Amino acid sequence: VLQNGTSMPLRFEVKVDLSDIHETAKERWLTISEIEALLNLSTTVLPIQTQRPTLPPPSGTLILYNRSATRDYKNDGHHWTKKRNSKKIREDHVKLRVEGVKRIAGCYVHHEMIPSFHRRGYHLLNPETGMAVVTPKIPGMKGSNRNLKDENKAEELPSLILIHYLDTVQAQAQAAKRASMTYNANTEARAKNQMMGSGGALVTQHSSALGLAPLAQSDTTDAGAEKKDSNKRRKLEGQSSGEPKSNMLHSTPNGIQDFINMIQPQSGQISSHENNDCSQQMLDQGMA
């Protein structure tokens, strides 16, 4: 919030995912967008602390302080490098810019006994002046601001500062461990997907090995051949039904009569009486 009461927008209005910010803080320093989001009351996921920690914070710790309520937040139990020939802690001050505009002020200190351990503090800057953001009084907020005169005794917003502790050696090891876990998980998932994708091919191969697919094709072929043979057999039987067979003599009298006519001499030497006797005799034999 600026002095004129308008809110200061985040960098390019970019939405930052802060769901895994604590794990990220253990592996690297935060980006400008992440710092801005954590210092913004509408987007921060960190609770505002009003008391300093009782134990020295470890690497990867993120703490959001209200500087107006916690003025001794720098007394965190760590031994920081001091200025030469002085008891004061050496602080390196920087200003982070976005497109040439000063947006964040940083204060860096370094551990006295662990060269890779550092503490960084961040607070927002007014992009119009490049100075620290002065928060106006807003009704409904607790606290007081002596720098602003307000006859209605409205209450102020907290003056936020973000503190980040990080051991760069531990951060590299943590990042490598997380990358290894992610790679193993992705490899396992990829192998599982390949197995699931090749399931259909494996079933086909097993079916071929068991002869299931050829069996179905053979059944169809055999059924067609059987039908074809049946039709051929019926056709042959139909053709042979017109030919004289010996068993027809035992079925009908007409067959006997035809046989008699076939063997009867054309000269007519057999009389009709003999013909009848012969017919009766052949009929009796056929009946027998």
Side-chain angles (χ1 to χ4, degrees):
V1 180
L2 305 180
Q3 291 181 347
N4 57 9
T6 61
S7 59
M8 184 173 60
L10 294 178
R11 178 190 178 190
F12 309 120
E13 300 293 340
V14 176
K15 294 183 179 180
V16 182
D17 184 11
L18 301 178
S19 60
D20 202 26
I21 195 64
H22 291 285
E23 293 298 325
T24 302
K26 296 178 182 179
E27 300 174 0
R28 60 172 174 81
W29 296 112
L30 302 182
T31 64
I32 296 178
S33 297
E34 292 168 340
I35 296 171
E36 286 182 325
L38 291 175
L39 287 171
N40 191 297
L41 287 175
S42 60
T43 58
T44 187
V45 295
L46 300 176
I48 301 176
Q49 304 294 336
T50 57
Q51 295 180 354
R52 62 181 177 85
T54 57
L55 296 175
S59 176
T61 302
L62 289 175
I63 303 177
L64 189 63
Y65 288 114
N66 180 4
R67 290 190 297 176
S68 300
T70 313
R71 297 184 180 274
D72 60 345
Y73 66 88
K74 295 182 179 180
N75 299 327
D76 50 16
H78 285 291
H79 298 281
W80 303 108
T81 301
K82 296 179 175 60
K83 295 180 181 180
R84 182 177 298 181
N85 300 326
S86 176
K87 295 183 179 180
K88 293 183 179 181
I89 296 175
R90 192 193 81 186
E91 296 181 346
D92 299 330
H93 295 273
V94 297
K95 291 185 179 181
L96 306 180
R97 300 170 181 263
V98 179
E99 293 186 345
V101 180
K102 298 176 181 179
R103 299 297 296 267
I104 297 174
C107 178
Y108 302 166
V109 298
H110 316 283
H111 204 277
E112 188 176 24
M113 294 174 289
I114 307 175
S116 59
F117 193 83
H118 311 275
R119 182 190 73 192
R120 292 185 177 184
Y122 306 98
H123 63 270
L124 293 176
L125 295 176
N126 187 330
E128 297 178 355
T129 62
M131 304 300 291
V133 173
V134 179
T135 54
K137 293 182 178 181
I138 297 179
M141 299 295 295
K142 295 182 179 181
S144 60
N145 191 339
R146 297 178 181 178
N147 296 328
L148 297 179
K149 297 180 180 179
D150 190 348
E151 298 178 356
N152 297 328
K153 295 182 179 181
E155 298 176 351
E156 65 175 353
L157 287 172
S159 177
L160 301 180
I161 183 169
L162 176 66
I163 304 298
H164 185 191
Y165 297 86
L166 188 67
D167 188 323
T168 55
V169 174
Q170 293 184 13
Q172 291 178 359
Q174 183 73 16
K177 180 180 178 181
R178 187 177 185 183
S180 178
M181 293 176 61
T182 303
Y183 175 79
N184 293 335
N186 292 338
T187 302
E188 183 179 355
R190 185 163 52 251
K192 187 175 181 180
N193 292 336
Q194 290 178 355
M195 291 180 62
M196 294 178 62
S198 61
L202 291 176
V203 172
T204 304
Q205 292 177 2
H206 286 300
S207 300
S208 300
L210 294 174
L212 297 180
L215 180 61
Q217 184 177 3
S218 177
D219 292 343
T220 305
T221 305
D222 292 343
E226 183 179 356
K227 183 177 181 181
K228 186 175 181 180
D229 293 342
S230 177
N231 295 335
K232 185 176 181 180
R233 188 164 50 251
R234 292 194 187 97
K235 185 176 181 180
L236 292 175
E237 291 178 354
Q239 291 178 356
S240 62
S241 61
E243 298 178 357
K245 296 184 180 179
S246 59
N247 58 1
M248 293 181 64
L249 299 175
H250 303 281
S251 60
T252 59
N254 292 331
I256 299 174
Q257 186 63 38
D258 292 338
F259 179 75
I260 295 173
N261 296 334
M262 182 180 62
I263 63 174
Q264 185 177 2
Q266 299 296 331
S267 59
Q269 295 178 357
I270 301 175
S271 62
S272 60
H273 178 72
E274 292 175 349
N275 189 13
N276 291 335
D277 292 341
C278 183
S279 299
Q280 184 63 34
Q281 184 179 1
M282 294 296 296
L283 181 60
D284 294 338
Q285 293 177 357
M287 295 295 291

